[in-house]
Amino acid sequence: GKIEEAIATYRQAVQLDPKNGTAYSNMASLLAIHGQTSEAISAYRQAIRQNPKNASAYYNLGVTLYNQGEFKKAGGILKRAHNEYSEQGNIEQAQKIEQLMQQIAQKIEQHQPQASQTATPSNVVQTPEPQTPANPDNVPVSIEPQPTATSPGQ
């Protein structure tokens, strides 16, 4: 029940402030956790439209696409997340993405038509990450609704 309430609150927040990329990103993470993947993907894309430098929105979108088996799309989005994190100096997160991109490259190889072996899901499913505190424009994802009107201009 709490996740549904939080999603509803974020829906209201983005209706009141359609340029609030943080609210879109946080709502998308909750939607992804709640299994509403297509809505989550749409909300992450809206978050990115509002703030093209939002590395965590790119990362979470990439992870969501990865979990849907959209490996090529995920790889492209994660590359953008990697670039944004690198520009922000968040080396730890950039390295984490590099590892995930290597896994994606292996998955793409396994899914090539000439590969006769069956791909077994050996990797733990990634979950969306909260907005990173390293970027002050981002607010961590919380199950409790957060006031989004306190951050103008996002």
Side-chain angles (χ1 to χ4, degrees):
K2 294 273 187 205
I3 289 180
E4 292 93 345
E5 289 174 37
I7 290 170
T9 301
Y10 278 118
R11 286 189 201 282
Q12 289 175 335
V14 298
Q15 281 182 333
L16 294 171
D17 182 8
K19 295 198 180 303
N20 189 329
T22 301
Y24 277 110
S25 188
N26 290 345
M27 179 175 71
S29 293
L30 292 173
L31 288 164
I33 289 166
H34 202 251
Q36 296 171 268
T37 313
S38 61
E39 276 190 83
I41 289 168
S42 175
Y44 282 131
R45 288 194 166 126
Q46 188 62 31
I48 290 165
R49 274 194 287 278
Q50 298 308 321
N51 178 7
K53 297 277 182 197
N54 188 338
S56 63
Y58 284 110
Y59 173 79
N60 290 335
L61 174 58
V63 168
T64 303
L65 291 168
Y66 174 89
N67 289 336
Q68 290 297 296
E70 302 261 0
F71 302 124
K72 286 185 179 174
K73 284 183 187 175
I77 296 290
L78 287 168
K79 184 173 182 154
R80 181 69 189 265
H82 179 271
N83 293 343
E84 294 300 332
Y85 278 124
S86 296
E87 281 182 27
Q88 295 169 12
N90 190 337
I91 304 307
E92 185 181 331
Q93 193 66 15
Q95 289 172 338
K96 183 177 178 181
I97 292 171
E98 285 173 22
Q99 291 172 342
L100 186 54
M101 288 168 66
Q102 288 172 351
Q103 290 176 6
I104 288 172
Q106 291 170 350
K107 292 270 187 197
I108 291 171
E109 258 180 49
Q110 289 173 350
H111 285 84
Q112 296 300 325
Q114 69 267 25
S116 58
Q117 70 211 37
T118 314
T120 55
S122 58
N123 300 324
V124 177
V125 171
Q126 301 279 328
T127 54
E129 291 233 331
Q131 300 277 322
T132 54
N135 187 343
D137 291 336
N138 295 332
V139 178
V141 171
S142 169
I143 300 303
E144 296 300 315
Q146 294 183 1
T148 52
T150 57
S151 341
Q154 290 189 13

